Amino acid sequence: MNYDEPPSGCHHYTSLDEVPWEIQKYWQQRYNIFSKYDEGIWMTDDAWFGVTPEPVADKIANHITQSASKDKKTIIDCFAGAGGNAIAFAKSGRWDRIFAIEKDPYVLQCAKHNAEVYGVSNKIWWIEGDCFDIMKKRLATVGKDSVIFASPPWGGPGYSSDAIFCLSTMQPYSLNDLVVPMSKVTMDIVLYLPRTSDVRQLARYAPNGKKTPIIHYCMNGASKALCVYYGDFKFGIDHKSQENEGSYGSNRNQSIENGVNRNRGSFLCQSQ
C-alpha cells in the first residue's frame, strides 16, 4: 500500500466533506474509476473529469491487445491524465514499450504515483509535454511499430448535454486536429470520445474502402463513451458475450448515411 502524502496540487480525498462540490459525483464513483483508490490514489481536481473508469480502461486494453497487429510492439497514450489507460495497457502485458504523455506536471505526478499503486510503474515511460510535439520530435521513429491511443479533452462536462456531439468544434482539439498529425506517425489510431459523437464525422476519416469499428463502452447498462478504431484492427466481436460481461455494449440505436453495419454495442462505419 502506498500512503505517501500527496504533493501540492495533488489530492487523496478520504471524505465527502473534503471534496469540492463540482467533483463530488465523481468522487462517489471513485472505486469504479480506480478500484485501488483507498490504497493511496492521487488526483488533481481537474483530472477527475477525464479519467477513464477502470473496467472500461481494462476492456479497451483487452480489445486493442486482441485486435492490433502482432507486429505492433509499442503503444503511445497521448493524453495520459491520471494514468488510468496507461495502467490498463501495462497490466495487459501485451506491449514492449508504453509511452504515456501528459502536459500537466501535477497530473503527470499523480499518474506516476498511481502506476506505483498498481505495481506497473516500471512498465511505462512517462513523458511531460505536448503530445503532438513529442510524437513529431521524439517518437517518430517508433511509428511503424506503434498504436496510438488518445483520450483527448472533450471541452468540459457540458458535452453530455449535446444530443449529437460535434467533433469538428470539440475543444481544445477537433477531430481533424487529432487524426491528421497522428496519422503521420501511424495509421493505427484509437480515439476515446463522447458517446454521442457524430458518427458521420468519424466516417470521414475512415480509409477509402475500409470499414472502421466503433464500440460503445458501458457500465451498468449505460454507455460511458465510444472508441473508434482507425487502421488495421481485426475484430471478431461476440455480441452475446458483450451482453453477459456488462462492461461494454449498447442498446442505443444510431445510424449514419455513410455505410454502417450496426449491431448491439458495436458497428462499422465506412467512408464513401
Side-chain angles (χ1 to χ4, degrees):
M1 294 188 181
N2 197 326
Y3 293 110
D4 294 343
E5 187 69 23
S8 176
C10 304
H11 308 281
H12 177 79
Y13 295 122
T14 58
S15 68
L16 188 61
D17 293 342
E18 302 173 343
V19 183
W21 177 85
E22 64 272 16
I23 60 173
Q24 286 185 0
K25 74 172 184 177
Y26 299 98
W27 183 82
Q28 290 173 329
Q29 302 171 46
R30 60 196 180 280
Y31 301 118
N32 283 331
I33 295 173
F34 286 110
S35 63
K36 295 189 176 186
Y37 183 84
D38 286 348
E39 296 184 30
I41 290 295
W42 291 354
M43 300 282 279
T44 66
D45 288 348
D46 287 342
W48 286 96
F49 297 109
V51 65
T52 305
E54 186 173 321
V56 174
D58 288 344
K59 183 56 65 178
I60 293 170
N62 183 54
H63 278 166
I64 298 176
T65 291
Q66 293 177 349
S67 62
S69 169
K70 300 306 178 185
D71 294 333
K72 300 289 184 172
K73 303 297 185 181
T74 299
I75 191 162
I76 302 169
D77 184 352
C78 285
F79 302 93
N85 291 106
I87 290 168
F89 297 142
K91 290 192 299 181
S92 75
R94 162 69 170 77
W95 307 98
D96 290 349
R97 293 179 293 184
I98 301 168
F99 294 104
I101 307 169
E102 173 55 45
K103 69 190 306 182
D104 186 317
Y106 297 105
V107 177
L108 183 61
Q109 196 166 8
C110 292
K112 291 178 178 180
H113 171 83
N114 295 340
E116 291 178 1
V117 172
Y118 279 83
V120 295
S121 59
N122 63 338
K123 298 181 179 181
I124 304 169
W125 280 262
W126 302 99
I127 306 175
E128 180 183 336
D130 178 85
C131 64
F132 301 104
D133 287 340
I134 289 167
M135 284 190 293
K136 182 178 179 180
K137 297 175 182 177
R138 298 177 57 182
L139 299 180
T141 58
V142 304
K144 68 181 187 302
D145 299 320
S146 68
V147 170
I148 288 177
F149 173 82
S151 176
W154 298 346
Y159 73 88
S160 60
S161 62
D162 293 341
I164 299 178
F165 185 76
C166 181
L167 297 164
S168 297
T169 58
M170 182 169 63
Q171 294 295 324
Y173 308 106
S174 69
L175 182 61
N176 190 74
D177 293 335
L178 298 167
V179 175
V180 171
M182 290 176 181
S183 62
K184 294 178 181 177
V185 178
T186 178
M187 297 304 294
D188 292 337
I189 301 166
V190 181
L191 301 179
Y192 182 78
L193 298 167
R195 63 184 181 273
T196 56
S197 294
D198 190 331
V199 184
R200 294 177 182 86
Q201 293 175 340
L202 293 174
R204 293 172 192 161
Y205 293 88
N208 289 334
K210 293 193 68 173
K211 295 179 179 179
T212 297
I214 297 172
I215 299 179
H216 278 266
Y217 292 87
C218 298
M219 294 181 64
N220 302 318
S223 176
K224 302 293 289 185
L226 64 79
C227 277
V228 57
Y229 289 77
Y230 292 119
D232 189 21
F233 293 94
K234 307 297 185 185
F235 279 95
I237 298 172
D238 181 345
H239 298 287
K240 183 176 180 181
S241 69
Q242 286 184 4
E243 296 173 23
N244 291 336
E245 290 181 25
S247 61
Y248 72 105
S250 174
N251 288 324
R252 211 159 47 81
N253 291 326
Q254 293 192 34
S255 62
I256 64 173
E257 297 171 356
N258 291 44
V260 172
N261 292 331
R262 186 177 65 248
N263 293 296
R264 290 192 59 180
S266 65
F267 49 94
L268 303 171
C269 69
Q270 183 175 17
S271 62
Q272 293 183 328

